[in-house]
Amino acid sequence: ENRVPALEESSIMSNPNQLLSMTHITLAFKQPDTGKAMKFSCGGPRDPKVWKCEEEFMGSSLDFTFVTDGDGTDEPDKRWGYWALVYPGDRPAPSQETVDDLAQKWSEVAEQAEFVKEPEVKRDGWDEARLRALCAKHGWEFEWMSEDGERRRRIRDLSKSQTSRVTLEKAKEKYMKHAQTKVAR
């Protein structure tokens, strides 16, 4: 049996070609970084030159994430995301015309699509419009936290509790008088 001579890591690192002449060996590789890392980022107005990534990525999957800084709060319908075309690197890139045709057909089909249930889109941030909508939905009063606002709220709450206490005490007095009148009869 042909035994492979023991190799030191430093020897392999200095001359990896020596592995090519060996047979009946098993190489085990350790992935140096198993975490996800951002490989491409872009932003700004619609521009095919800005929003084009020509980098080749290794592996069998990519994750795409859309992030916004909240612009468009007053006009959420004008917010937008991205459309990505990913294809294997060992195949020729489709022509711009082919991509444009695909995007056009995609848009036409998407416009005709009907949701079984309309998706509910929730923003991550709690801007004023979202806070007001939440308050309106639950019948709550919206007010920004300020010293004046908090002081007015506490005074209002205190006066409500005092009014309730006075009303309760009057009702109790009335009941006691009524009960005493019944006992006296």
Side-chain angles (χ1 to χ4, degrees), residues 31 33 35-37 39 53-63 86-90:
Q31 175 70 9
D33 183 12
K36 294 179 181 179
K39 300 289 186 179
C53 176
E54 295 186 2
E55 185 175 341
E56 288 189 24
F57 299 103
M58 303 303 289
S60 60
S61 68
L62 292 171
D63 289 337
V86 180
Y87 57 90
D90 60 350

Side-chain angles (χ1 to χ4, degrees), residues 26 40-41 91 98 100 116 120 138-139 142 145 148 152 162 172 176 180 183-184:
T26 301
F40 178 73
S41 177
R91 301 219 177 113
T98 302
D100 291 344
V116 173
E120 184 177 343
H138 294 286
F142 175 83
M145 187 68 152
D148 267 358
R152 282 194 307 265
Q162 288 174 346
K172 186 177 176 183
M176 292 303 285
Q180 288 173 352
V183 172

Side-chain angles (χ1 to χ4, degrees), residues 97-166:
E97 183 181 347
T98 302
V99 173
D100 291 344
D101 287 346
L102 177 61
Q104 181 64 37
K105 288 176 185 171
W106 177 270
S107 295
E108 290 169 4
V109 169
E111 285 178 19
Q112 296 172 8
E114 292 183 24
F115 293 107
V116 173
K117 179 183 176 206
E118 185 79 23
E120 184 177 343
V121 178
K122 293 182 181 177
R123 290 178 251 163
D124 285 341
W126 286 92
D127 59 5
E128 185 174 344
R130 188 169 180 201
L131 289 170
R132 287 186 181 280
L134 179 69
C135 290
K137 178 179 180 179
H138 294 286
W140 301 334
E141 180 182 336
F142 175 83
E143 183 175 318
W144 285 113
M145 187 68 152
S146 66
E147 285 187 34
D148 267 358
E150 180 65 9
R151 189 174 18 261
R152 282 194 307 265
R153 185 191 65 77
R154 288 184 181 190
I155 290 170
R156 188 173 55 240
D157 289 351
L158 183 62
S159 68
K160 281 181 185 177
S161 67
Q162 288 174 346
T163 302
S164 298
R165 192 176 18 246
V166 168

